[in-house]
Amino acid sequence: MEQVDLFVSCLVDLFEPATGRAAVAVMERRGAQVGFPLGQTCCGQFAYNAGHWPEAWAMAKNLLAALDAPPTPGPDRGERATVGLSGSCVAMVREEYPKLLDWAADQPGWDSSWRVRHARVAGRLWELSQWLNRAALAPVADEDTTTTRVALHTGCHMRRVLGAGADAAAVLAALRVRVATPEDEDQCCGFGGTYAMTEPKISTALADDKLTALRATQADAMVSCDWGCLLHLAGRLSRTGVAWPVLHLAELVDLADRGELAPTQLARAGRFAREVP
Amino acid sequence: MAGRLPRDPAPWAARRDRALASPVLRANIRSVTHRLADARRRAYASYPAGQVLRVAGRDAKRRAMAQVEPLLDQLRDRLSANGARVIFAEGPKEVADYVVSLAARRGAQRIVKSKSMLTEELDLNRRLAAAGLAVRETDLGEYIIQLLDERPSHILAPAAHRNRQEIHAVFQETADREGVPGPTSDDVGPLTAFARQRLREDFLAAEIGITGANFLVAETGTVVLITNEGNADMVASLPPVHVVIAGIDKVLDTWDALAAVIQQPALSGVGQRLSAYTTLISGPRAAGSPEGPEELHVLLVDNGRRQLLGGPYADVLTCIRCGACYNVCPVYRQVGGHAYGSTYAGPIGAVETPLLAGLDFLPELPKSLCTLCNACVEACPMDIALPDHFITLRRRQVDEGREAAGTRLTYRAWGRLWSSPRQYQRFVSWARRGQRFMMRQGRLVRSPGLWAGWFETRDMPPIAPETFHEWWARRSPSGKAPV
């Protein structure tokens, strides 16, 4: 049985824990024994991107310690995989932490063992769709689900920093879910971490363009591997009174596994899109 | 030394809002950027050698920036041997003074120019006009914005923010003022025909021609100009005096380096394999030659560039001004170039401007004009680490105390609470208590402080009744993995 640790991200933990629960179900269904390193909070990306590196480094150390801690019980973590539920956070740990480590190495109190711990953690860390795509999963659902179409939004860090832009589509194809690709699919949705808060006008203009492109696919739902993008886009749908199911990939895969991909079932699971008054 | 760049006196919020409130500008910018970005993609896809050359060209640019001073000396020696005058100039004042005194010595009144972002950066036209000189821009886009009294909104397509109808209107106005027939319609043909007719007269009348340079080859002492309109050839050959004004970052070591990089501006900028005109200049008219300028002056300008050499931002100096990063930038696509407030816009502008002019100059650029989507570094033919530069410039702003005190405190508290599991739990219970006052119909609709901006236009779910951590604890109370 494959041992997999879950890295849920702060947004899933705090705001969308159903995504984490769906991920556990999906992974267990594929034969994984799922563990949850309890010390995890946030990867620190929001602070890192905004230039507040001492804070980012404090959070990074906490996450590295949590993901590197020996499991109880279970085999040594070196033989385990860690699966993250956000392409952006996984990209942060794998691709940006080395830059943060280089900076930290010049700060007081530096301990070079952080590099070793980072190498261990990053070496076994995957984003969920990467893990699913690697796991050569056969569709669990018996039912032919080809009538369901979802519009896929791939986050920029997932696509460009992590280089995992194609995995989610492959996973959905294996589950016989039809994927609609929006126009300008590689353009940013405008979330950008704290950018969504500090520059709401530009951020919202970008969200509206992205939603127009996604909605133009006339898909049954929108799906992504990042709750950063999704909270921003769904939050905009909610504020403008547009109802359209919004789901994380983990939830869509869970529904597909259970053969519950009818539009009404997607609408029930896809939350945070209020009915048009 | 820090460089000096022009700046729009309007504050960032005003510049941003002006752009966002202009649907025509946004439609124009959207259309141009998508067209150019698609053209670039297609060009490289159909030309695999372009990628190989791109890497060789990038390496050549980096190699040159690692040995700028000896290359500049070599360039000066070669050009001087061919009869050119080579001058090292510090910044805007030195360049303008040189041209003004040259014009006085020659008794010159009329100047024609080809497109040069450096002279925009030096605000040269304004300085020359103040000295009583008549300057005519001859690149079509530059001609249009000169008539409109605007600055370039795009590094490659200066009038990208204007459409045919607007161009027709300003040409008609010009025609009326100058008492000549205007363009017969707002189609591309009649518009260019009008500009061509007007500019031809300026080419023939000018006593000085000013160009920039796309590349300078030290080995051979060559000034390289590329254009798609051929106007630089006129500027460099018709007037009796030719002045080249180029940044020190334009130097390359060898002819092979030039061969490696020469296609990249066209490939990345407009999706062509080569610009329509490539002009190689190595000196003034030689004795016995029937044509060419009597005098060639080459000004090699610093304006803040040397301070970047050998440092973490040196790759910024390898920029070939193709505009590929502008075309893919989501923020640029929304607001266009004028919102950036100085000469250079897009990702490279937001990074390079404070690096050249100092972190106090337009401090909003690294913060407010980038979502960190990484599209720029993906498009950049020179692999300039733009996203990293955005982040480290923000870090320098924070480190140097330029962030508002309230924001700094918020990050400190946020960082402290979220860097230990126990504090994080405490945060969750506080936030749950606080959020009750900020909800409507089960959703968060407002928030204080740093987060307020979100709720101007978007809702959020509240912190869940049961976080994932709490669910896991309930599911497996010992914290052990469930079997």
Side-chain angles (χ1 to χ4, degrees), chain A residues 6 8 10 13-17 20-21 24 28 33-36 38-42 46-53 55 58-59 62 72-73 96 99 103 156-157 160-161 184 186-188 191-192 194-197 199-206 209 231-232 235-236 238-239 272-274, chain B residues 12 16-17 20 26 30 34 41 330-331 333-335 367-375 378 388 391-392 394-395 398 403 408 411-412 414-415 418-421 424 427-428 441 443 445 450-451 453-464 466-469 471-472 475 479-482:
Chain A
L6 196 54
V8 292
C10 58
D13 181 48
L14 295 173
F15 300 108
E16 297 294 350
R21 301 196 295 269
V24 172
E28 287 181 346
Q33 185 183 336
V34 180
F36 180 60
L38 293 175
Q40 62 183 282
T41 62
C42 168
F46 70 89
Y48 174 82
N49 286 353
H52 296 265
W53 284 26
E55 287 76 12
M59 285 182 256
N62 180 68
T72 50
E96 303 296 325
K99 300 167 195 170
W103 169 86
C156 295
H157 292 174
R160 300 201 181 94
V161 183
D184 254 346
D186 65 349
Q187 166 145 314
C188 175
F191 170 63
T194 53
Y195 190 80
M197 304 160 194
E199 280 300 330
K201 290 183 180 176
I202 295 173
S203 174
T204 303
L206 287 166
D209 279 359
L231 283 175
H232 165 68
R236 184 65 184 151
S238 170
R239 182 61 65 92
F272 205 47
R274 83 171 99 211
Chain B
W12 157 240
R16 175 197 61 207
D17 293 351
L20 289 177
R26 290 171 72 187
R30 175 191 298 249
H34 279 81
R41 235 179 293 221
V331 177
R333 284 175 169 186
Q334 291 295 332
V335 298
K367 269 197 293 210
S368 299
L369 287 131
C370 175
T371 66
L372 289 173
C373 78
N374 281 253
E378 186 182 60
D388 288 348
I391 295 175
T392 58
R394 291 173 184 182
R395 189 189 73 210
V398 172
E403 187 89 290
R408 187 78 197 94
Y411 275 100
R412 275 207 189 128
W414 197 353
W418 282 27
S419 54
S420 102
Y424 180 79
F427 161 85
V428 171
Q441 295 178 329
R443 291 177 181 120
V445 293
L450 187 60
W451 299 273
W454 178 284
F455 297 97
E456 286 177 19
T457 54
R458 289 146 294 184
D459 298 337
M460 270 280 280
I463 289 183
E466 184 178 62
T467 63
F468 187 85
H469 271 284
W471 175 77
W472 188 271
R475 188 180 189 238
K480 291 176 181 175

Side-chain angles (χ1 to χ4, degrees), chain B residues 125-138:
Chain B
N125 288 5
R126 196 184 53 75
R127 289 168 185 273
L128 296 183
L133 294 165
V135 182
R136 170 57 67 211
E137 292 287 350
T138 67

